[in-house]
């Protein structure tokens, strides 16, 4: 049966991340922008071989507008799970150990991640990824690009497109990034790390 992608529900209420991220921002970001990527993807893949493929496979192998919309749909689904009303603070368990190993301290990691996100010119994403040598790296991608295309495993993402923060923070990207650390979902990041060593992925969009 041909696959038709649907907009996933947010894993929390629209007002759950306030005051860090407002209900208005989530309503527009999820209900308008993310929704538009999903709708456009379905339109572009009609009568193509990509219609029957999982979203992650489309991201890996498509080009042009199909890639752009598939990648933004996947990136956003991942990003929503990187946030939590019970988030913030310092990481624990597996992700804490990996950050300590590869960045010497959480404070050092947080500073490097924030600065990478601040230096990104224009729209894009900041990521914490695991490479093929089982080491953590910080990277940024522009527009719709994603670490999946480079064979890297995303563990955490921060959306740096202006619509992610402009209603709440205007052009103050630094303030948005400070708010991000107050709602970051370390449990989700840890589960992504642990999933690599399990026989089956934990989350549907990893399939």
């Amino acid at each position: 049966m041909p696959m038709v992608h649907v907009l996933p529900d947010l894993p929390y209420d629209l007002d759950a991340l306030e005051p860090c991220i407002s209900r208005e921002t989530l309503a527009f970001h999820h209900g308008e922008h993310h929704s538009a990527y999903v709708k456009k993807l379905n339109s572009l893949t009609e009568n193509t071989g990509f219609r029957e493929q999982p979203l992650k496979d489309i991201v890996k192998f498509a080009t042009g507008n199909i890639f752009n919309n598939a990648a933004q749909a996947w990136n956003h689904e991942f990003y929503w799970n990187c946030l939590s009303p019970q988030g913030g603070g310092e990481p624990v368990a597996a992700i804490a150990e990996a950050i300590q190993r590869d960045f010497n301290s959480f404070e050092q990691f947080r500073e490097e991640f924030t600065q990478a996100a601040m230096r990104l010119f224009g729209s894009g994403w900041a990521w914490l990824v695991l490479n093929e040598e089982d080491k953590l790296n910080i990277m940024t991608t522009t527009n719709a690009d994603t670490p999946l295309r480079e064979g890297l495993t995303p563990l955490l993402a921060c959306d740096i497109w202006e619509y992610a923060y402009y209603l709440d923070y205007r052009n103050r990207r630094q303030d948005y990034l400070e708010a991000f650390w107050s709602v970051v979902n370390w449990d989700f990041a840890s589960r992504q790390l642990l999933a690599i060593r399990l026989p089956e992925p934990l989350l549907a969009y990893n399939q």
Side-chain angles (χ1 to χ4, degrees), residues 85-105:
Q86 290 80 44
E90 296 192 12
V92 295
I95 193 69
E97 295 174 4
I99 287 174
Q100 179 67 36
R101 180 194 67 192
D102 295 332
F103 296 97
N104 297 318
S105 69

Side-chain angles (χ1 to χ4, degrees), residues 56-150:
K56 192 172 183 180
D57 288 348
I58 301 175
V59 172
K60 287 183 177 179
F61 301 112
T63 58
N65 283 336
I66 292 179
F67 164 75
N68 287 335
N69 286 276
Q72 282 293 82
W74 193 93
N75 290 352
H76 278 88
E77 184 173 353
F78 191 87
Y79 169 67
W80 302 133
N81 285 279
C82 292
L83 309 175
S84 170
Q86 290 80 44
E90 296 192 12
V92 295
I95 193 69
E97 295 174 4
I99 287 174
Q100 179 67 36
R101 180 194 67 192
D102 295 332
F103 296 97
N104 297 318
S105 69
F106 169 67
E107 292 74 17
Q108 181 67 26
F109 158 73
R110 174 171 164 162
E111 175 66 20
E112 290 185 22
F113 189 99
T114 299
Q115 288 306 310
M118 286 296 297
R119 288 193 299 267
L120 179 66
F121 182 79
S123 298
W125 300 81
W127 306 86
L128 174 65
V129 300
L130 188 72
N131 66 23
E132 293 180 348
E133 287 74 44
D134 198 42
K135 296 207 59 169
L136 301 184
N137 289 121
I138 295 166
M139 66 179 297
T140 57
T141 58
T142 57
N143 298 320
D145 206 2
T146 167
L148 296 177
R149 299 278 275 199
E150 300 183 33

Side-chain angles (χ1 to χ4, degrees), residues 29-75:
H29 194 173
H30 175 261
E32 299 294 335
H33 293 283
H34 189 179
S35 178
Y37 293 127
V38 174
K39 290 176 182 176
K40 186 66 173 177
L41 175 63
N42 285 326
S43 173
L44 290 169
T45 55
E46 190 171 2
N47 300 319
T48 74
F50 289 115
R51 187 71 164 185
E52 301 179 11
Q53 294 189 12
L55 183 57
K56 192 172 183 180
D57 288 348
I58 301 175
V59 172
K60 287 183 177 179
F61 301 112
T63 58
N65 283 336
I66 292 179
F67 164 75
N68 287 335
N69 286 276
Q72 282 293 82
W74 193 93
N75 290 352

Side-chain angles (χ1 to χ4, degrees), residues 161-172:
W161 285 64
E162 284 190 341
Y163 55 59
Y165 60 89
Y166 210 82
L167 289 175
D168 295 333
Y169 299 100
R170 300 300 187 264
N171 63 337
R172 303 189 307 276

